[in-house]
Amino acid sequence: LEQAVKQRIGVSERKKIGFSSEDEKQNQLDYSKILAYVTPEDLQSYGLIPELVGRLHTRVGLNRLSKQNLLDLMIMPVNSPLKQSQRLFSSWGVSLEFEQEALLEIVDKVYATNTGAREIKSILSKIEDDYLEVIGVKDKVMITREDVLKYKL
C-alpha cells in the first residue's frame, strides 16, 4: 500500500549518487505521513474488494503516540487509568502512589509494545492484581520502578 501511494504522489525512493537538492530531501516522507494520502483506488490496488472499500467512509492515517503523549494520557485526564486505579484502592482505604520512575517505566513498556494507550490500562491492571492482598493490611502502597520491571509483556 505504501509503495502504491508513493508512486501516485511522486515520492521517489531511488537513492542517487552525488549531490541532492533540497526538493528531493523534502520528497521523502515517513510511513505515517504517506498513509494520510491513501485513496479508495490505492486500497483497491492493494487488494481490497470494491464492496469493502465503499463501506470505508472515512480513512485516517494515525501517528504513533510519543512517550510524552502516553505519559500525559496516563496521568492528566480526569478519568485517566492511573487515577482510576488510585480511586479503586482508595475505596478500600489504601493510598496507591507511583514514583515518577515507575510511571516512566510503564510508558517505556507501552511504547515498546507499539499497541497504543490501551496497554497502559493492561499494565495497571496487573499491578492492581498483585497488590490486592495488601487491602486491610497496609494503608499506603508505593509502586517503584523495580515493581514495574517485573511485569513481562
Side-chain angles (χ1 to χ4, degrees):
L1 182 62
E2 180 183 3
Q3 296 302 324
V5 175
K6 281 183 179 180
Q7 287 176 352
R8 186 177 47 77
I9 64 175
V11 176
S12 173
E13 278 202 0
R14 284 187 251 156
K15 299 192 187 216
K16 297 182 179 181
I17 298 174
F19 298 103
S20 63
S21 68
E22 287 299 316
D23 293 335
E24 291 173 3
K25 290 179 183 175
Q26 290 177 352
N27 259 353
Q28 297 174 352
L29 296 173
D30 66 354
Y31 182 73
S32 62
K33 291 181 182 174
I34 288 173
L35 290 183
Y37 296 104
V38 171
T39 64
E41 293 79 22
D42 295 330
L43 294 172
Q44 287 180 10
S45 70
Y46 185 66
L48 295 178
I49 59 174
E51 290 81 8
L52 178 61
V53 173
R55 293 183 183 271
L56 301 174
H57 303 289
T58 305
R59 291 166 302 280
V60 178
L62 300 176
N63 296 328
R64 183 176 185 188
L65 293 172
S66 69
K67 289 183 179 183
Q68 185 61 47
N69 294 141
L70 290 169
L71 183 62
D72 291 344
L73 284 170
M74 184 168 50
I75 62 175
M76 290 183 76
V78 174
N79 205 17
S80 71
L82 182 67
K83 291 176 184 174
Q84 288 176 7
S85 296
Q86 289 173 330
R87 267 186 254 130
L88 176 68
F89 274 73
S90 69
S91 69
W92 293 319
V94 178
S95 173
L96 181 64
E97 304 284 328
F98 287 83
E99 289 182 350
Q100 184 66 26
E101 291 82 20
L103 296 176
L104 295 175
E105 187 61 35
I106 292 172
V107 166
D108 287 342
K109 285 181 174 286
V110 170
Y111 192 80
T113 63
N114 200 18
T115 54
R118 293 194 185 273
E119 189 67 30
I120 293 171
K121 184 63 178 165
S122 172
I123 292 173
L124 290 175
S125 293
K126 291 176 184 176
I127 292 171
E128 289 171 7
D129 291 345
D130 283 356
Y131 284 93
L132 287 177
E133 66 215 25
V134 302
I135 296 171
V137 177
K138 294 183 179 180
D139 60 347
K140 184 176 180 181
V141 174
M142 177 63 77
I143 307 297
T144 64
R145 182 175 183 269
E146 289 73 29
D147 294 331
V148 176
L149 282 172
K150 70 180 179 182
Y151 296 103
K152 302 280 189 247
L153 300 176

